[in-house]
Amino acid sequence: ETGVTQSPTHLIKTRGQQVTLRCSSQSGHNTVSWYQQALGQGPQFIFQYYREEENGRGNFPPRFSGLQFPNYSSELNVNALELDDSALYLCASSLSPEVVDTEAFFGQGTRLTVV
Amino acid sequence: AQSVTQPDIHITVSEGASLELRCNYSYGATPYLFWYVQSPGQGLQLLLKYFSGDTLVQGIKGFEAEFKRSQSSFNLRKPSVHWSDAAEYFCAVVTTSGTYKYIFGTGTRLKVLA
């Protein structure tokens, strides 16, 4: 148990649709990062939010966007879904943006399938 | 560019046998290294981490890892594998320039034979 929960656990969407994935961080964790894990691959960094502002972004297009709320919850939104967006999406929460100082705790992930 | 390589996609060992999972990294500065385990349908669980100091790091579930700067390696070991260790294992390095983020290897899937 990491204290980080994600919803839903599984989701099926049609190409072109939009999807919102949710993450509830540990209380007091003001930093959340999102990762995409395609089948057979390691997780890839999408972006990080710190105190409700985007704090860095990986190599993902603008149709991937996020929100972070004061109650330690956050969202990952993906517009215009493509088949290649099918993956496990993981969120990770930590006390500080400086991951090296504090451990990041991962949720169990949301499995998104785009058909 | 920073990267992590896990050369073995799949490894099969018998229960009770020893285990070593390989990890090589490419990083210009002092690396901050992690090993995570992922069971089917689960998120990532931290096994151990190396920031500095003693190059032999002890983790949970009887795992240990050794940092070897000369070989750019951070291999994970366990003296005696249990059937419950069957899972996928990821090595990661944290980048400290710009946004701190994990760069993961592609993982090694461990199968344990009874």
Side-chain angles (χ1 to χ4, degrees), chain A residues 1-2 11 23 27 59 79 85 99 111:
Chain A
E1 274 302 323
T2 64
L11 198 55
C23 173
S27 179
N59 190 25
N79 294 322
D85 296 332
V99 176
R111 172 75 62 190

Side-chain angles (χ1 to χ4, degrees), chain A:
Chain A
E1 274 302 323
T2 64
V4 180
T5 57
Q6 294 186 241
S7 63
T9 53
H10 294 85
L11 198 55
I12 300 175
K13 288 287 190 178
T14 302
R15 188 172 49 183
Q17 285 187 315
Q18 179 266 344
V19 68
T20 297
L21 311 182
R22 294 180 172 83
C23 173
S24 178
S25 301
Q26 284 194 18
S27 179
H29 282 196
N30 58 23
T31 304
V32 65
S33 301
W34 287 89
Y35 289 80
Q36 180 195 65
Q37 185 179 9
L39 201 61
Q41 300 295 317
Q44 303 247 331
F45 176 74
I46 302 174
F47 46 54
Q48 182 184 90
Y49 276 77
Y50 171 59
R51 293 183 175 175
E52 302 162 47
E53 298 282 335
E54 188 177 290
N55 188 46
R57 189 176 188 92
N59 190 25
F60 281 81
R63 58 189 185 85
F64 286 78
S65 62
L67 286 171
Q68 186 186 26
F69 304 102
N71 65 351
Y72 306 113
S73 68
S74 57
E75 293 179 353
L76 164 66
N77 298 289
V78 187
N79 294 322
L81 283 166
E82 300 177 0
L83 296 179
D84 284 349
D85 296 332
S86 296
L88 180 68
Y89 289 85
L90 297 164
C91 75
S93 79
S94 57
L95 278 171
S96 159
E98 298 181 0
V99 176
V100 292
D101 290 324
T102 63
E103 179 182 343
F105 294 86
F106 284 82
Q108 83 284 5
T110 293
R111 172 75 62 190
L112 172 65
T113 302
V114 182
V115 297

Side-chain angles (χ1 to χ4, degrees), chain A residues 2 33 35 37 40-45 48 55-57 88 90 97-104 106-109, chain B residues 9 32 34 36 38 41-46 49 51 88 90 94-96 98-107:
Chain A
T2 64
S33 301
Y35 289 80
Q37 185 179 9
Q41 300 295 317
Q44 303 247 331
F45 176 74
Q48 182 184 90
N55 188 46
R57 189 176 188 92
L88 180 68
L90 297 164
E98 298 181 0
V99 176
V100 292
D101 290 324
T102 63
E103 179 182 343
F106 284 82
Q108 83 284 5
Chain B
I9 298 173
Y32 298 97
F34 299 76
Y36 281 88
Q38 186 177 41
Q42 301 296 312
L44 298 171
Q45 181 183 21
L46 179 66
K49 57 189 176 186
F51 289 167
E88 187 140 27
F90 291 95
V94 163
T95 65
T96 55
T99 304
Y100 287 19
K101 60 181 181 288
Y102 290 97
I103 296 175
F104 287 90
T106 51

